[in-house]
Amino acid sequence: MKVAIAGSGALGCGFGYLLQKNGNAVTLMDYWEDHIQSIRENGLTISINGEVDNAKMTIGKPEEIEDKFDVIFVFTKSMGLRSMMEAIKHTIKEDTQIVCLLNGLGHAQTLSEYVSQKNIIMGTTVWTAGIDAPGVTHFMGQGPVELQNADPSQEEAARKVEALLSEAGLNGVYSEDVHFTIWRKACVNGTMNALCALLDGTIKEVFESSQIDFLLNHIVSEFAQLARTEGVELDVEETIVYLKALALKVGSHYPSMHQDLANRRLTEIDFLNGTVARESEAKGLEAPYCQMITQLIHAKEDVLGIS
Ligand code: NAD
């Protein structure tokens, strides 16, 4: 299959490498000059669960790519999705499937400004990845990648992408309710990411705080309140049990928002707690905790001089 990765950072390189290794024709698209140059000159060096390999890969800026693709995985940060979709328009054909596994809320709406619902596959992934240097990345975990077609008539297309992923070792799983999966992942990021970034602690340290039950209850309740307006039922108590169990598994880590701030990069807060605050207000609902968390994260970005 002809596959493109639009946004070839940490996750994009991991997916691109494994899909190419399984025989697909993969093109990486990105804008980071040093990363592009390093991959062109030295290949992509990638550690997959500790096993290091180096692979020659095709990479270029979207404007330089003339091909059209069967499947395009978008792997920008949330705030880069719209400009990337604008830049890759010419690589999309009538039946190209755009697969979006970004963290955050509202991405299906953004994609639908560029392609028909029939071309959109939404999902989440629990693979983790990072960039050690331009052209050098690591990729860890075992998945899964949960996904589902945005248009109910397109299950076959999503099943094909599920198979594409699974054959490459990426553990694709067809989801019967991807909206729930996306909202629940947003709750993970809207609690663990935001709180660890603000409190400068690991997940374990933050989840051992005497304030954690109070904070989780308020934040998750605000997510659940808005999710309900979109037909998604998040049980607050069950979600908190899920978050606490997850925190026990991954406790020693600093989540990505903490790392973004440490690396002087903008966070995805506007697509997590920020969306809950904004959309709740628009619907006449109150979400003061998400509002305050969003403002504090933006204040932290300002203090660190990130723009
Ligand atoms: P990333 O930051 O590694 O890459 C995103 C884009 O930023 C790429 O275009 C990349 O080239 C660019 N970039 C990265 N570092 C840069 C630098 N120093 N200078 C200039 N450009 C740079 O993002 P990611 O971690 O692959 O995440 C993509 C999406 O997937 C996000 O929505 C994220 O929340 C989500 N996600 C990430 C992980 C993870 O473990 N990394 C896990 C699940 C979901």
Side-chain angles (χ1 to χ4, degrees):
M1 235 185 238
K2 274 176 87 164
V3 178
I5 310 289
S8 299
L11 270 191
C13 281
F15 274 66
Y17 166 84
L18 285 172
L19 288 164
Q20 175 173 289
K21 197 172 176 200
N22 194 45
N24 297 287
V26 174
T27 298
L28 304 179
M29 298 196 271
D30 209 71
Y31 281 106
W32 184 11
E33 300 272 4
D34 291 351
H35 191 52
I36 294 174
Q37 196 182 332
S38 175
I39 292 175
R40 278 190 178 145
E41 288 174 6
N42 312 311
L44 171 70
T45 299
I46 185 164
S47 160
I48 307 268
N49 286 325
E51 199 170 310
V52 181
D53 193 14
N54 179 273
K56 194 170 157 37
M57 298 203 68
T58 302
I59 184 163
K61 293 186 182 167
E63 295 76 17
E64 299 165 347
I65 309 295
E66 289 174 1
D67 284 350
K68 294 194 189 295
F69 299 94
D70 302 315
V71 181
I72 300 177
F73 290 87
V74 284
F75 272 128
T76 58
K77 289 284 198 183
S78 297
M79 45 283 192
L81 181 59
R82 182 168 271 110
S83 59
M84 182 59 83
M85 287 305 295
E86 194 69 46
I88 65 170
K89 273 180 188 167
H90 64 286
T91 69
I92 299 172
K93 52 191 172 99
E94 207 178 320
D95 61 349
T96 300
Q97 293 298 312
I98 308 287
V99 185
C100 177
L101 308 174
L102 306 192
N103 283 334
L105 299 164
H107 302 319
Q109 173 61 36
T110 304
L111 294 178
S112 69
E113 292 167 23
Y114 295 90
V115 291
S116 146
Q117 290 280 101
K118 289 192 170 162
N119 301 66
I120 300 173
I121 295 178
M122 295 301 300
T124 62
T125 180
V126 295
W127 284 96
T128 60
I131 299 184
D132 304 315
V136 184
T137 71
H138 59 267
F139 192 65
M140 290 178 301
Q142 52 187 6
V145 179
E146 291 188 55
L147 49 84
Q148 189 182 24
N149 37 298
D151 182 319
S153 71
Q154 298 300 305
E155 180 171 338
E156 197 185 326
R159 293 275 184 196
K160 276 190 194 156
V161 175
E162 176 196 17
L164 173 77
L165 291 168
S166 287
E167 284 160 15
L170 283 156
N171 192 4
V173 174
Y174 185 80
S175 169
E176 296 292 345
D177 188 359
V178 84
H179 297 296
F180 174 79
T181 316
I182 289 170
W183 272 95
R184 179 129 96 166
K185 185 86 190 288
C187 275
V188 172
N189 299 128
T191 53
M192 287 183 186
N193 280 35
L195 293 176
C196 291
L198 285 173
L199 300 171
D200 192 16
T202 62
I203 295 167
K204 180 173 189 293
E205 286 164 347
V206 168
F207 272 66
E208 282 175 358
S209 154
S210 58
Q211 303 303 309
I212 195 65
D213 286 321
F214 179 90
L215 290 167
L216 289 180
N217 190 40
H218 283 284
I219 299 169
V220 173
S221 295
E222 292 179 1
F223 273 75
Q225 175 181 247
L226 184 65
R228 193 166 306 121
T229 68
E230 297 191 8
V232 176
E233 279 303 321
L234 280 176
D235 181 305
V236 175
E237 271 178 39
E238 190 272 338
T239 304
I240 291 174
V241 169
Y242 171 80
L243 291 170
K244 286 186 170 178
L246 188 61
L248 284 178
K249 274 198 224 159
V250 295
S252 59
H253 292 281
Y254 289 101
S256 60
M257 196 175 290
H258 186 282
Q259 291 170 30
D260 288 336
L261 292 176
N263 293 327
R264 300 289 194 272
R265 298 187 67 206
L266 281 174
T267 69
E268 296 181 296
I269 195 72
D270 284 338
F271 299 85
L272 296 160
N273 309 68
T275 297
V276 174
R278 209 172 46 246
E279 299 286 318
S280 296
E281 191 183 353
K283 292 180 177 178
L285 302 168
E286 293 200 344
Y289 285 84
C290 284
Q291 178 68 50
M292 177 63 92
I293 283 169
T294 305
Q295 287 171 311
L296 287 171
I297 291 284
H298 283 316
K300 184 83 180 166
E301 291 167 343
D302 292 342
V303 167
L304 293 170
I306 307 169
S307 57

